């Protein structure tokens, strides 16, 4: 039950009972103390055995488990105590057990919970770590050391563990700035093009959700998460579902309706008590197979599912991720006969396949795409205009179409059309290339065909919408490190800076995300500074209605690592603005502003001295107490710098 009048968040952030029933101790003897200590050791043992943790909280979990392990030998000492212990003195042991059960529930969430939820709600999860550390530290402090006859040596070791728990509040493992920016772009509400799909692959790799097995496990975790939430926090729940489906699309899997779909395979909806043998289920769809086939690695899949996987330009086995030496599919007749026999014996009817999803339909799709691609080279302007608009629509959110368009030779004529003197054709073409670039293999093809200079030319001279879409295309392409360098060498940064300064709100946002990505390249930082990117960024952070303060601060953080960038950013007026954000900004503003100031001050103490003159000290101390985990970490580092400058007594 819930203790001390508090509620405990479950894996999905919902209020749940802890699942552990406790009654207050009533013993007042040695045996009572021994039993309590033994129970504590059992709980710690079960925590240690939990296993692996999600990447976003892995370090925090491992640190906490390591500290709890230090308690085991100390508890062994306490268990051997032979003196009498009062009932009142047993209460702290009960409180320690409650704190440990809180930790256990949190670590299970970080081990088995939705990876997307844990990344999206990282701040809330870190807050749970802070509360758990506080409870553990307080419970250890309240233990009756004198009555238990604990030696000074053991007491010092327990105090050391408690000190580490307190310090851990100030040293949380956090998402890096690139992940934070990716999340910011993905969930941007003012982008109708869904250009955020360009960063899905990078996000999937960061969250370890880039294999079919990973995604199937995450799908089950998200369904459980949604069920546990029971309609609470609807917006963040929808974000989790949206991102899951984006990841599934990027791997050629179908979208799912998490709110309606059951956790069991669809084929079991009408007979939930009937367990289908695991080997009869396709590893991709988790549905019973009707046409099982071998791939080169010897794994078996449903023909339709593995064909979609291969059509999405994948060259690996979905289950093992081993390279496929060939793409031939061989019928697994033995397994098919076993499935049919099992269905007959259990009176189980295999669902009929949709005619629209047959391989003939796939052939028709290929022919249709090829026909549209051929029209891109038509001598008639209207035919070309309709064809490029059709390609734009086909490539928008269908990973199979993106591959088919490239395989049908669609990229070269699109690149040629970029220089066509027709604003609508240019706009549709650059947007089609943006959509096609979402596919990793297509990025290289687009660059090889010489599209980068042509896209940059549209960025300079195109229509308002074409400029924004060109910037988004450069952002998508620049996820590839080699293409980052190509864009910089092709003089693509100056027109992005111009769009950042003079574009529409959406154009400025497109330019900012592209400039952020490009500035991850060291040479491009110099190019961006020389192109004059810092003044418009400073203008954005000084304009409260720009809606891009965090994006601008994130780019300034990258540029502050460059000597010329530090010099230009480190104006007194800018330092004053940063201090204002640290004092009065949003949670994200405070974090970003503290990061920029820390980067500036790490190389030049004069920036630290200037910030102190503007009264930053008390606001940093406040952030260490009430800021989010990232801000706390940065604020503590900044305070240490100030201490070294001998400005703090």
């Amino acid at each position: 039950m819930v203790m001390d009048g508090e509620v405990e968040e479950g894996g999905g952030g919902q209020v749940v009972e802890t699942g552990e029933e406790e009654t207050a101790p009533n013993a007042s003897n040695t045996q009572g103390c021994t039993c309590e200590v033994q129970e504590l050791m059992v709980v710690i043992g079960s925590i240690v055995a939990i296993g692996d943790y999600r990447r976003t909280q892995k370090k925090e979990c491992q640190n906490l488990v390591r500290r709890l392990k230090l308690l085991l030998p100390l508890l062994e000492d306490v268990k051997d105590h032979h003196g009498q212990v009062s009932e009142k003195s047993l209460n702290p042991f009960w409180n320690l057990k409650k704190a440990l059960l809180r930790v256990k529930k949190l670590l299970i969430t970080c081990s088995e919970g939705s990876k997307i939820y844990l990344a999206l709600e990282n701040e809330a999860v870190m807050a749970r770590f802070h509360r758990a550390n506080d409870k553990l530290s307080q419970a250890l402090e309240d233990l009756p050391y004198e009555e238990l006859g604990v030696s000074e040596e053991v007491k010092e070791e327990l105090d050391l563990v408690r000190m580490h728990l307190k310090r851990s509040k100030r040293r949380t493992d956090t998402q890096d700035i690139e992940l934070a920016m990716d999340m910011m772009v993905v969930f941007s509400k003012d982008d109708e093009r869904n250009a955020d799909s360009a960063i899905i692959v990078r996000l999937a790799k960061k969250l370890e959700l880039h294999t079919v097995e990973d995604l199937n496990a995450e799908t089950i975790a998200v369904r459980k998460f949604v069920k546990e939430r029971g309609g609470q926090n609807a917006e963040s729940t929808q974000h989790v579902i949206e991102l899951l489906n984006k990841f599934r699309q990027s791997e050629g899997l179908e979208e799912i309706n998490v709110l309606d779909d059951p956790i069991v395979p669809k084929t079991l909806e009408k007979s939930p008590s009937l367990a289908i043998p695991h080997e009869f289920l396709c590893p991709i769809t988790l549905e019973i197979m009707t046409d099982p086939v071998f791939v080169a690695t010897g794994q078996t899949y449903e023909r339709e599912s593995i064909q979609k996987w291969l059509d999405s330009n994948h060259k690996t086995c979905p289950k093992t991720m081993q390279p496929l030496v060939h793409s031939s599919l061989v019928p697994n007749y033995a397994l098919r006969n076993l499935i049919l026999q099992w269905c007959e014996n259990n009176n189980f009817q295999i669902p009929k396949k949709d005619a629209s999803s047959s391989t003939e339909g796939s052939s028709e799709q290929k022919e249709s795409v090829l026909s549209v691609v051929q029209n891109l080279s038509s001598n008639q302007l209207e035919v070309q205009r309709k064809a490029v608009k059709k390609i734009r629509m086909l490539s928008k959110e269908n990973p199979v179409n993106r591959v088919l368009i490239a395989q049908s030779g669609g990229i070269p004529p699109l690149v040629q059309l970029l220089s066509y003197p027709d604003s609508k054709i240019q706009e549709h073409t650059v947007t089609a290339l943006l959509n096609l670039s979402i596919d990793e293999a297509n990025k290289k093809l687009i660059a090889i065909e010489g599209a980068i200079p042509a896209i940059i030319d549209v960025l300079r001279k195109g229509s308002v919408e074409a400029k924004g879409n060109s910037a988004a295309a450069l952002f998508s392409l620049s996820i590839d490190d080699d293409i980052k360098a190509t864009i910089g060498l092709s003089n693509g940064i100056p027109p992005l800076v111009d769009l950042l300064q003079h574009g529409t709100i959406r154009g400025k946002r497109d330019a900012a995300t592209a400039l952020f990505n490009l500035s991850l390249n060291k040479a491009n930082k110099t190019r961006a500074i020389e192109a004059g990117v810092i003044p418009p960024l400073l203008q954005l952070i000084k304009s409260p209605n720009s809606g891009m303060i965090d994006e601008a601060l994130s780019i300034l953080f990258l540029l502050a690592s460059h000597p010329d960038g530090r010099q230009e950013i480190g104006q007194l007026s800018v330092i004053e603005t940063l201090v204002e954000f640290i004092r009065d900004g949003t949670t994200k503003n405070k974090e970003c502003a503290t990061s920029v100031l820390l980067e500036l001050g790490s190389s030049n103490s004069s920036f630290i001295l200037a910030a102190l003159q503007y009264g930053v000290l008390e606001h940093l101390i406040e952030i260490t107490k009430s800021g989010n985990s990232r801000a706390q970490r940065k604020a503590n580092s900044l305070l240490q710098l100030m201490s070294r400058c001998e400005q703090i007594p």
Side-chain angles (χ1 to χ4, degrees), residues 349-584:
Q349 186 174 358
I350 297 178
K352 293 181 179 179
K353 292 289 182 183
D354 237 345
S356 61
S357 64
S358 65
T359 54
E360 289 77 16
S362 179
S363 297
E364 291 175 8
Q365 186 180 14
K366 291 178 182 178
E367 290 176 8
S368 174
V369 168
L370 181 59
S371 174
V372 179
V373 168
Q374 289 172 342
N375 286 340
L376 291 173
S377 303
S378 171
N379 293 325
Q380 300 178 41
L381 178 61
E382 192 57 34
V383 173
Q384 282 184 307
R385 187 181 285 120
K386 288 181 179 178
V388 73
K389 185 177 182 180
K390 181 69 173 176
I391 291 289
R392 173 182 178 174
M393 299 309 296
L394 286 172
S395 61
K396 185 176 182 182
E397 285 197 353
N398 189 320
V400 175
N401 281 343
R402 293 180 198 124
V403 174
L404 290 178
I405 291 167
Q407 289 177 344
S408 301
I411 291 176
L414 284 171
V415 174
Q416 292 175 12
L417 286 173
L418 280 172
S419 57
Y420 198 91
D422 181 288
S423 60
K424 270 299 173 187
I425 286 182
Q426 274 191 351
E427 179 187 315
H428 291 320
T429 301
V430 78
T431 309
L433 288 170
L434 162 63
N435 294 336
L436 290 171
S437 71
I438 293 168
D439 183 272
E440 282 297 296
N442 285 349
K443 285 179 170 60
K444 293 285 190 185
L445 292 175
I446 292 169
I448 289 170
E449 289 298 329
I452 303 299
I455 293 173
I456 292 170
D457 198 52
V458 175
L459 177 61
R460 289 196 189 97
K461 306 171 184 176
S463 65
V464 171
E465 185 168 354
K467 285 183 176 182
N469 290 358
S470 298
L474 291 177
F475 164 72
S476 174
L477 291 166
S478 67
I479 289 175
D480 183 288
D481 288 336
D482 291 335
I483 299 177
K484 279 186 181 75
T486 301
I487 294 170
L489 291 168
S490 301
N491 210 25
I493 291 177
L496 285 170
V497 172
D498 184 71
L499 184 62
L500 181 69
Q501 194 162 14
H502 302 113
T504 62
I505 293 175
R506 192 170 80 175
K508 289 181 178 182
R509 192 177 297 277
D510 289 327
T513 52
L515 286 165
F516 174 86
N517 225 28
L518 290 168
S519 296
L520 294 170
N521 176 285
K522 186 177 180 180
N524 283 341
K525 287 181 185 178
T526 303
R527 296 185 180 105
I529 294 166
E530 291 175 349
V533 71
I534 291 177
L537 290 173
L538 297 180
Q539 186 62 41
L540 285 173
I541 68 171
K542 292 177 181 179
S543 303
N545 297 324
S546 70
M548 292 179 58
I549 291 172
D550 295 331
E551 289 91 334
L553 287 170
S554 296
I555 300 172
L556 288 171
F557 169 75
L558 293 178
L559 300 179
S561 64
H562 190 285
D564 293 341
R566 278 195 299 274
Q567 193 61 36
E568 194 170 351
I569 296 168
Q571 307 166 26
L572 286 178
S573 61
V574 177
I575 301 298
E576 184 177 14
T577 301
L578 293 175
V579 173
E580 288 172 358
F581 282 129
I582 292 171
R583 182 187 66 211
D584 299 323

